């Protein structure tokens, strides 16, 4: 059985709301997003734009995505949002910032970040579920 949902939440039809998504309730997906924060050496983390000590750090790069993806996940009937981060320092920070900004999403398990060892961000099938 298929259900159509509008991202806008409205049932109105017309050119002002043309975007729809079809959701099959039996197929629950997990949204995974990679974040390159450098390899497994600390020197690369120091140069990462996700490092709060980096000259061009912008926390909203993390919080904006952490705000939008859980809503999309819910609208599409997903299982959750997972950020796969390339080093342990980045994973700790990418968990810390949204967990403070969106404690409900973290408490429910809908939003998490994990360290995906430095394999060029490939091998997604071995990432945590």
């Amino acid at each position: 059985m298929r259900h159509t949902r509008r991202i806008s939440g409205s049932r109105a039809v017309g050119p002002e709301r043309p975007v729809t998504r079809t959701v099959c309730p039996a197929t629950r997906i997990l949204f995974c997003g990679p974040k390159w924060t450098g390899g497994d050496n600390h020197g690369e983390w120091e140069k990462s734009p996700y490092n709060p000590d980096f000259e061009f750090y912008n926390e909203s790069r993390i919080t904006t995505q952490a705000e939008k993806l859980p809503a999309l996940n819910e609208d599409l009937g997903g299982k959750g949002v997972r950020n796969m981060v390339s080093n342990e320092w980045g994973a700790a920070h990418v968990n810390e910032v949204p967990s403070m900004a969106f404690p409900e999403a973290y408490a429910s398990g809908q939003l998490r970040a994990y360290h995906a060892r430095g394999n060029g961000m490939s091998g997604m099938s071995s990432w945590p579920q």
Side-chain angles (χ1 to χ4, degrees), residues 68-127:
K68 292 178 180 180
L69 287 179
L72 179 63
N73 172 68
E74 184 177 327
D75 286 347
L76 297 178
K79 294 192 319 187
V81 176
R82 302 294 179 264
N83 287 299
M84 302 303 150
V85 186
S86 63
N87 67 40
E88 61 187 89
W89 304 284
H93 185 66
V94 171
N95 265 318
E96 177 185 19
V97 171
S99 69
M100 295 168 86
F102 309 103
E104 304 82 26
Y106 263 76
S108 71
Q110 289 297 305
L111 185 59
R112 291 276 189 258
Y114 294 95
H115 173 207
R117 291 227 176 281
N119 60 359
M121 301 304 282
S122 62
M124 288 176 62
S125 63
S126 66
W127 291 353

Side-chain angles (χ1 to χ4, degrees), residues 49-51 54 56-63:
Y50 290 102
N51 183 334
F54 184 67
F56 301 111
Y57 174 74
N58 182 350
E59 188 173 287
S60 70
R61 293 173 74 178
I62 299 171
T63 57

Side-chain angles (χ1 to χ4, degrees), residues 2-71:
R2 292 181 163 233
H3 299 277
T4 300
R5 287 188 179 176
R6 296 195 168 279
I7 297 300
S8 66
S10 170
R11 293 179 183 230
V13 178
E16 69 281 354
R17 291 191 178 92
V19 179
T20 62
R21 299 289 187 261
T22 301
V23 178
C24 179
T27 309
R28 298 199 20 116
I29 55 176
L30 186 65
F31 289 90
C32 293
K35 297 223 179 305
W36 178 252
T37 58
D40 283 331
N41 85 45
H42 198 266
E44 291 182 21
W45 165 241
E46 290 175 347
K47 297 174 187 170
S48 168
Y50 290 102
N51 183 334
D53 296 329
F54 184 67
E55 179 181 2
F56 301 111
Y57 174 74
N58 182 350
E59 188 173 287
S60 70
R61 293 173 74 178
I62 299 171
T63 57
T64 299
Q65 187 181 46
E67 181 177 26
K68 292 178 180 180
L69 287 179

